[in-house]
Amino acid sequence: MDFTPSEEQSAARGLAARIFGDLSTHERLTAAGTGTDAELWKELCAAGLPAAVEDIGLLGLVLLLEEQGRTTAQVPFAATCVYGLLAVAEHGTPEQCERLLPGMRDGTAVATGAFPARGRVHLAEDGALYGAVPWVPWLRDATHVLVADTDLALWIVEASAPGAEARVTVEPVETTAPWSAGRLVLDGVRGERLGNRPEAYAAVLATARTAFAGLQAGVCAGSLARAVHHTVTREQFGRPLSTNQGVLLRAADAHMDTEAIRVTAYEAAWRHDGRRACAEQALTAAWWASEAGKRVVHAGQHLHGGTGADLDHPVHRHFLWGRQLDAYLGCGSEVLEELGLLLADSAQRDAS
């Protein structure tokens, strides 16, 4: 395994770090409230970062999402790349790619996904979709939504489907993290089928888990960096808080947890890009992102002492994002059960 970024991946990561660092400031995030920073999204698209994901692969996307996570930048970057660009590029027909990808590359189209499937959307005999999904991230910004029906077939649905009888309703919903989420209601909507392979849903879900694990790695790294700065500069009894052994050990544990999230996400992405089997690795990355992620953001808040309890402090934003990512695509126990079943099934096949 070699996770060393290519020249293109390193260049894209450096550009993302600069844009996120310059524009995703505490003041701008405060002004955005729970919505999207539209100007930042325009800047990212103008710089060609969403479009670059098709060339730099999932590992490159993980690197970019780390930079987003460090600053908790409120843009639909992960959702558009995972449920839009990569999903269409990997599972769409040539006609779908030609028609849908240009808008997602330049940011005029925003994609999201009603994932994971919970059996809430069903396909009627007339070919229309019915059902409701309680919350979908970045739905309020989306022009296209990737939906899985009860049979795990994938459908691309326009967020404002035409027709008097076929309706897509988006009801604003506030979640733990400010992700411009909404409740999706489909009432007789005719979607566009994406991919004919039965494993398309599993492949997109594995890609999503890997990408959002990378986002969690960045969220944790940002939380830890803030905690380190606070404990180094804050003095108690005439010496920095960082000189206390308890503080050092807590920060060291958080660092190791963050590295575990990062390296497992890198491995899953590297295997994906090399067309190797990566289902087990994606679940492993998702487990670390859930279990270790919440430990890190709790530690980051605790190491700030009373300051961490201030809802307006930047570290609290990392806490909210970390807890949202903890359970977004399955909490730790759910993912672990899924991984166990996958390993047991693999062992049974090998035995037979």
Side-chain angles (χ1 to χ4, degrees):
M1 292 181 290
D2 184 5
F3 306 147
T4 304
S6 66
E7 184 177 345
E8 292 78 9
Q9 289 170 339
S10 296
R13 182 177 195 170
L15 179 59
R18 180 179 63 78
I19 294 175
F20 284 128
D22 289 347
L23 298 183
S24 185
T25 62
H26 176 58
E27 292 73 22
R28 287 177 66 104
L29 288 168
T30 300
T34 61
T36 296
D37 188 334
E39 292 303 315
L40 174 55
W41 178 239
K42 289 180 182 178
E43 188 71 22
L44 290 168
C45 294
L49 287 176
V53 170
E54 293 175 78
D55 296 322
I56 62 178
L58 183 55
L59 180 56
L61 175 59
V62 166
L63 297 174
L64 301 185
L65 292 178
E66 276 193 78
E67 300 306 325
Q68 179 186 1
R70 291 178 197 275
T71 60
T72 59
Q74 292 174 200
V75 287
F77 192 29
T80 293
C81 291
V82 169
Y83 302 120
L85 282 163
L86 292 180
V88 173
E90 293 181 7
H91 305 288
T93 64
E95 188 277 331
Q96 287 175 323
C97 291
E98 183 179 359
R99 174 167 47 86
L100 297 173
L101 290 179
M104 295 175 184
R105 291 174 186 143
D106 63 22
T108 55
V110 173
T112 189
F115 273 60
R118 304 285 190 189
R120 297 188 175 105
V121 176
H122 69 275
L123 182 68
E125 292 183 359
D126 63 356
L129 296 168
Y130 293 85
V133 183
W135 77 275
V136 178
W138 308 110
L139 183 61
R140 282 178 269 167
D141 300 324
T143 57
H144 298 80
V145 186
L146 189 62
V147 178
D149 64 21
T150 51
D151 294 324
L152 301 185
L154 295 180
W155 302 90
I156 301 173
V157 173
E158 293 185 21
S160 53
E165 297 181 358
R167 301 194 308 275
V168 176
T169 304
V170 175
E171 303 169 358
V173 171
E174 296 302 335
T175 54
T176 301
W179 285 3
S180 296
R183 180 174 183 266
L184 177 68
V185 180
L186 303 177
D187 184 13
V189 176
R190 295 188 179 275
E192 179 179 354
R193 181 70 182 268
L194 180 68
N196 293 317
R197 297 180 303 161
E199 64 270 21
Y201 167 78
V204 173
L205 180 58
T207 298
R209 282 171 164 161
T210 301
F212 281 94
L215 184 62
Q216 180 76 301
V219 169
C220 291
S223 174
L224 184 57
R226 292 188 182 279
V228 169
H229 179 267
H230 175 79
T231 56
V232 168
T233 57
R234 178 87 171 202
E235 290 191 357
Q236 190 176 59
F237 305 119
R239 62 177 187 173
L241 288 171
S242 60
T243 59
N244 294 317
Q245 188 178 44
V247 171
L248 290 171
L249 292 174
R250 191 77 187 278
D253 286 342
H255 171 73
M256 295 305 296
D257 272 338
T258 301
E259 288 302 300
I261 301 170
R262 176 182 289 117
V263 73
T264 52
Y266 284 5
E267 181 183 4
W270 173 80
R271 293 184 67 88
H272 171 277
D273 292 343
R275 298 296 184 263
R276 299 172 177 86
C278 60
E280 297 172 9
Q281 289 74 19
L283 285 166
T284 301
W287 184 84
W288 277 102
S290 175
E291 294 294 315
K294 61 188 172 189
R295 287 198 297 266
V296 173
V297 295
H298 274 271
Q301 193 162 5
H302 291 166
L303 288 173
H304 277 76
T307 306
D310 182 359
L311 301 186
D312 295 324
H313 194 279
V315 77
H316 189 69
R317 199 172 288 115
H318 290 269
F319 176 79
L320 295 178
W321 277 62
R323 291 314 309 255
Q324 186 75 55
L325 287 164
D326 158 31
Y328 167 42
L329 294 173
C331 66
S333 58
E334 293 175 311
V335 171
L336 190 60
E337 180 184 17
E338 191 175 337
L339 177 59
L341 292 172
L342 181 64
L343 293 173
D345 183 60
S346 177
Q348 187 174 19
R349 288 199 308 271
D350 292 342
S352 60

